Amino acid sequence: MTADVRPFSEAAEGTGPAELDYRGPQGWATVVHRAHVGSFTLLGPEDTHLVREFEPGQSRTEEPRTWEYRVGLSGPQRLRIETAERWSVSVAPLQQDEPEDGGVFSRRGIGNQTVELAEPDPPEASILEFTRIESARPTSLFLRLRTDFGGEAFWPVGDDDRARFLFGHDTPAIWSSAGRVEIGNAVGCEWRLRVLPLSAARPLDGTTTRGTGAEVLVHTGVPASLTLSSPADTGDDPEEQVREVEVRVESHGYKVTLSTRNHFFEDGAVLGLGPGPTLLQTGSGGGWELRTTALDAVRTFDGEFTGTGGKVLRYTGPPVTARIVTRSWHRWSGMVSVRTLTPELRWRDWVNTKGGLPGRLRGERLDLLPGMLLAVTGPHDGSAWHILRTGQVRRAGLGRRQSR
């Protein structure tokens, strides 16, 4: 390795090991290696392998051959060539683009970077959109939002070509004076980061909506219950067939997250309660499906109900005091949560029953009225839960039990 550091901003060439000080803007570098043996190693910041090619010595040819590599450079940085014969490097700067589609901010980049967000006028909740333009290698890319107030949000992108994230909803928007977005695991990836208004959210149309990865959707229709499912992967790799997906539902005064794995579905959310639209944020390592059901078509019960996971139910019995009981031994992951809505769709009670022995034996009390809706979130460990009328004794094979 030579001790000399060679500065360059557009192009450089040489023979053998070298240390280069790139001083130009971000761009794509074309690296050409001409040699008798195809062994070439190019390292970037923190000794990241930008190019690593190894060919055994017995592959040496009489006449030199040519190899060409495309390398993304995120801006000024130190480069180190460790193994090479004759080489050359030329850089084409990345062209910036302007905001479009009503966006207020757009930044195009390559590799790992931290981006300051521009401040919109007026400040408002928005959508942060990440788009993968070109990638030289597979990557489990992620975004991390950091704020001056100590807050942090982690958003996985994975290998998806596009991901959208909702932020600043129901709270003051986090912008340049208080927010920075870190793009990580993006070596060799060209990307675009945009801030879009909420009007760019994908409409939740009809009864079924399908998609992949992180997406922001909006529901503006009549009140309905929501079902999330993860379609089964038909591939041969068992690891690829296990997909976990989630959707976060946010409206004024109401937030809930549904999650499930493929072959299964999860209910438990109510849309369209207002004021204003209901916003949804999906996230997964694969596909997802959202289905809406009119509230007058949800499952009904008038006595006792046993279930797992989330459910949206309508109570049709007489006024009664019930108990919410979990069947889980785990205190927190075994918690069941029930929120009730009057027939006029006004929020009423919210009851949480923790897991463990007290939750299995006693549960929590809940007043039920005819026509009331119940939005149930089940234990995360998959355990069952029960709704029991106070004083009603449940025995095996007896009682008015319904289950699903």
Side-chain angles (χ1 to χ4, degrees):
M1 177 69 67
T2 179
D4 297 330
V5 179
R6 298 174 52 184
F8 80 104
S9 58
E10 296 181 1
E13 60 180 15
T15 302
E19 191 162 356
L20 307 175
D21 182 14
Y22 175 62
R23 299 180 179 180
Q26 60 182 348
W28 284 101
T30 299
V31 181
V32 178
H33 182 218
R34 186 160 175 77
H36 297 84
V37 178
S39 294
F40 184 80
T41 302
L42 174 64
L43 300 177
E46 300 179 354
D47 291 337
T48 302
H49 281 93
L50 303 179
V51 179
R52 189 176 188 180
E53 188 84 52
F54 174 77
E55 189 176 75
Q58 60 265 31
S59 302
R60 183 180 181 87
T61 58
E62 183 176 350
E63 296 295 327
R65 292 168 285 161
T66 300
W67 290 263
E68 185 172 302
Y69 309 98
R70 185 171 166 84
V71 176
L73 301 179
S74 58
Q77 58 189 279
R78 190 64 57 89
L79 303 174
R80 194 165 76 247
I81 298 174
E82 286 193 336
T83 305
E85 292 184 42
R86 177 163 294 279
W87 51 265
S88 66
V89 180
S90 59
V91 182
L94 198 66
Q95 298 297 317
Q96 291 299 313
D97 53 3
E98 297 298 325
E100 56 186 21
D101 299 335
V104 295
F105 175 83
S106 181
R107 175 68 58 81
R108 195 167 171 175
I110 296 178
N112 298 336
Q113 294 190 35
T114 297
V115 177
E116 297 279 350
L117 297 182
E119 184 174 3
D121 186 21
E124 58 185 356
S126 302
I127 297 170
L128 184 67
E129 179 189 78
F130 177 89
T131 303
R132 187 194 312 270
I133 299 175
E134 180 179 346
S135 183
R137 65 182 74 184
T139 178
S140 297
L141 196 143
F142 67 87
L143 307 183
R144 181 181 282 113
L145 177 69
R146 301 180 184 274
T147 77
D148 291 341
F149 305 107
E152 180 176 302
F154 180 84
W155 294 323
V157 175
D159 298 330
D160 292 330
D161 290 332
R162 197 196 76 169
R164 284 182 164 187
F165 303 97
L166 172 68
F167 70 108
H169 182 53
D170 283 347
T171 59
I174 302 170
W175 295 106
S176 57
S177 61
R180 296 167 299 281
V181 176
E182 173 191 347
I183 297 96
N185 281 351
V187 173
C189 175
E190 180 182 345
W191 44 262
R192 178 186 290 111
L193 197 66
R194 296 199 299 169
V195 175
L196 304 173
L198 290 182
S199 59
R202 177 182 173 183
L204 190 64
D205 291 329
T207 59
T208 302
T209 303
R210 297 180 179 90
T212 301
E215 180 66 275
V216 177
L217 302 100
V218 60
H219 172 79
T220 57
V222 299
S225 69
L226 180 71
T227 299
L228 167 71
S229 63
S230 173
D233 195 311
T234 57
D236 297 328
D237 188 347
E239 294 297 324
E240 291 296 322
Q241 295 182 31
V242 179
R243 299 289 193 184
E244 184 169 0
V245 301
E246 71 173 30
V247 58
R248 189 174 76 245
V249 178
E250 295 192 15
S251 61
H252 184 71
Y254 175 57
K255 297 183 181 182
V256 65
T257 298
L258 306 181
S259 62
T260 187
R261 305 185 110 187
N262 54 331
H263 302 288
F264 295 96
F265 59 88
E266 181 80 355
D267 299 312
V270 181
L271 309 177
L273 298 179
T278 303
L279 295 166
L280 300 96
Q281 169 75 70
T282 65
S284 74
W288 44 261
E289 181 178 282
L290 299 174
R291 299 195 303 272
T292 56
T293 303
L295 293 182
D296 59 4
V298 301
R299 184 90 180 261
T300 61
F301 77 107
D302 61 3
E304 177 181 344
F305 192 95
T306 299
T308 57
K311 296 285 184 292
V312 176
L313 308 169
R314 186 181 296 277
Y315 177 69
T316 57
V320 70
T321 298
R323 283 192 299 127
I324 310 299
V325 179
T326 178
R327 300 303 298 166
S328 175
W329 289 103
H330 300 280
R331 181 172 174 81
W332 294 111
S333 63
M335 184 169 65
V336 57
S337 175
V338 180
R339 297 196 71 172
T340 60
L341 283 143
T342 68
E344 298 76 27
L345 300 183
R346 291 194 296 269
W347 289 115
R348 183 164 173 168
D349 297 326
W350 188 4
V351 170
N352 295 308
T353 298
K354 301 181 182 68
L357 188 60
R360 290 173 63 93
L361 296 180
R362 298 194 301 269
E364 297 288 341
R365 298 169 69 89
L366 178 67
D367 292 332
L368 297 179
L369 298 173
M372 179 175 283
L373 284 165
L374 289 77
V376 183
T377 303
H380 293 311
D381 63 6
S383 299
W385 46 267
H386 305 302
I387 301 175
L388 309 170
R389 288 186 181 182
T390 299
Q392 179 180 353
V393 179
R394 186 175 67 86
R395 299 177 182 175
L398 301 177
R400 305 177 64 183
R401 181 175 66 180
Q402 304 177 49
S403 64
R404 179 179 175 186

